[in-house]
Amino acid sequence: MSFKFPDGAYVVTVTPFNEDKTIDYHSFKKFLEWISTTSIAGVVLLGTTSESPTLTYEERKEYVKFAYKILESKKFIVVGVGGTSTVETVSFANFANDYSDAFMVTVPAYNKPPQRGMVEHFKAVANTVPSKPNMLYNVPGRTAANLLPETLVQILNECPNVTAIKDATGNSEQRKKMINLVNNNTDRSLDSTFKVFSGDDADIVDICRAGGRGVISVVGNITPEYITEEVQHCLDGDFDKAFKMANLVEPLIKGIFVDSNPIPIKHLMHVLDIYRTNEMRLPLVPMELESGEKLYQTFIEFNRNIVKDYEVTGPKN
């Protein structure tokens, strides 16, 4: 049985809303149809970028079913099933099994579980559907809890279907220790049976240099071919080209994280007419006008500098 995640760049979806705050499935459909024609390796549904904490349980079910109908057999589909409650996470994983190729499971937020609690949480989800590959997601800046390398090793030795991690720690020393411990204390091979993905567009080159195999991307929502090529240069070992691409897109990446994600990327997708509105659900609010204009100008400058063959604007509403 294969639990492999394909190498490459994945896009984590942004959820469009109508003016009444309901999900804008018209815009979402156009986006998904477009992204399915790109070189992106996979699509992650219900990440934080999707504003998943503001979606109801029933909305999340509808969201996943809707996307699956469009993306099935076209892209590798990862569904974010993580939450603050293990019981609810397991429940949603059971539902999402029929509409996904893999799960992404976040370190539980707000509870600040001890390391032994994280082990039991991830084991419970992994054992829910033993045939489904699981990607763990470590993002201490959002969850206030950090999955330590030693804990990851324990999980890997007990859960064969945990085969990837999205690392958004921003901690290069912890990352090196994690990779070293996985290599020396498990039977996993870093490039085949266990893969590390960057959780930050700005860390692609650094993580790939250390043995990573791709990125879960936010900026890829508007630059899918560009991010795909940057990752491919890394996988080919051509870090000089990858580094040049990273430098070129760096101002845009900084721009889309100048405010809480996904506020800036949704603003851009609206300005570029990919989404009909830039509506957010509270407690998130749309980008302020002046900041939004600066971000758009940053995008224009990036667009002016890249090779003309890249498609960076997406579908039109």
Side-chain angles (χ1 to χ4, degrees):
M1 183 179 294
S2 175
F3 295 125
K4 288 184 179 181
F5 283 79
D7 293 345
Y10 293 64
V11 164
V12 56
T13 57
V14 178
T15 303
F17 294 123
N18 295 304
E19 291 184 359
D20 64 359
K21 310 292 186 180
T22 57
I23 297 174
D24 175 8
Y25 282 109
H26 169 83
S27 293
F28 196 38
K29 181 176 185 288
K30 285 183 175 292
F31 171 77
L32 292 173
E33 289 174 339
W34 170 70
I35 208 69
S36 72
T37 67
T38 70
S39 300
I40 285 292
V43 175
V44 178
L45 306 169
L46 297 178
T48 311
T49 304
S50 311
E51 291 178 75
S52 56
T54 73
L55 303 181
T56 68
Y57 189 85
E58 291 303 316
E59 283 177 325
R60 287 188 286 135
K61 289 169 67 175
E62 182 182 9
Y63 189 96
V64 168
K65 289 171 69 174
F66 182 88
Y68 182 78
K69 288 180 181 179
I70 297 171
L71 298 172
E72 182 186 9
S73 76
K74 297 176 183 176
K75 294 296 173 186
F76 192 83
I77 304 169
V78 184
V79 172
V81 299
T84 57
S85 160
T86 303
V87 170
E88 290 186 3
T89 301
V90 166
S91 173
F92 195 72
N94 270 313
F95 163 78
N97 180 39
D98 292 334
Y99 305 101
S100 63
D101 296 305
F103 297 151
M104 184 175 73
V105 193
T106 309
V107 172
Y110 193 72
N111 296 291
K112 295 182 71 174
Q115 297 297 306
R116 63 185 183 279
M118 293 184 199
V119 171
E120 295 306 316
H121 175 80
F122 289 123
K123 283 172 59 179
V125 181
N127 291 334
T128 299
V129 187
S131 61
K132 187 75 66 175
N134 282 211
M135 172 188 288
L136 308 189
Y137 181 18
N138 194 19
V139 55
R142 284 191 179 269
T143 64
N146 182 20
L147 176 67
L148 297 179
E150 294 85 354
T151 307
L152 174 63
V153 166
Q154 183 179 347
I155 294 166
L156 294 182
N157 283 329
E158 297 187 43
C159 304
N161 59 327
V162 174
T163 53
I165 188 167
K166 176 184 175 183
D167 185 291
T169 62
N171 186 329
S172 60
E173 290 305 312
Q174 177 173 310
R175 192 180 303 133
K176 290 176 184 176
K177 181 178 181 181
M178 173 185 72
I179 291 172
N180 181 62
L181 286 178
V182 169
N183 281 334
N184 294 304
N185 294 277
T186 74
D187 60 358
R188 305 300 187 91
S189 171
L190 196 63
D191 63 348
S192 59
T193 57
F194 183 71
K195 297 185 179 183
V196 179
F197 291 88
S198 175
D200 188 333
D201 285 299
D203 281 348
I204 293 173
V205 176
D206 285 345
I207 284 184
C208 286
R209 277 187 187 276
R213 306 302 297 177
V215 63
I216 312 300
S217 178
V218 176
V219 74
N221 280 282
I222 55 174
T223 64
E225 303 296 351
Y226 190 91
I227 291 301
T228 295
E229 184 165 328
E230 182 185 336
V231 170
Q232 191 57 53
H233 284 315
C234 290
L235 297 178
D236 291 342
D238 194 342
F239 290 104
D240 287 341
K241 285 184 180 178
F243 187 69
K244 289 177 182 177
M245 293 188 77
N247 279 342
L248 193 58
V249 76
E250 182 182 13
L252 181 59
I253 291 172
K254 286 183 176 179
I256 65 170
F257 288 100
V258 73
D259 207 342
S260 296
N261 181 44
I263 292 173
I265 188 65
K266 184 179 280 190
H267 176 86
L268 265 185
M269 292 174 79
H270 170 54
V271 171
L272 296 172
D273 200 29
I274 299 172
Y275 286 171
R276 293 188 288 191
T277 79
N278 64 343
E279 293 286 347
M280 315 291 296
R281 282 188 180 174
L282 291 172
L284 298 182
V285 291
M287 204 167 192
E288 293 180 336
L289 188 61
E290 184 177 351
S291 298
E293 179 58 29
K294 288 181 180 178
L295 176 59
Y296 179 63
Q297 292 305 318
T298 300
F299 171 80
I300 292 298
E301 183 63 23
F302 168 73
N303 209 23
R304 193 178 290 134
N305 290 332
I306 64 172
V307 178
K308 64 181 179 180
D309 291 337
Y310 291 114
E311 169 61 68
V312 298
T313 56
K316 296 297 181 183
N317 260 295

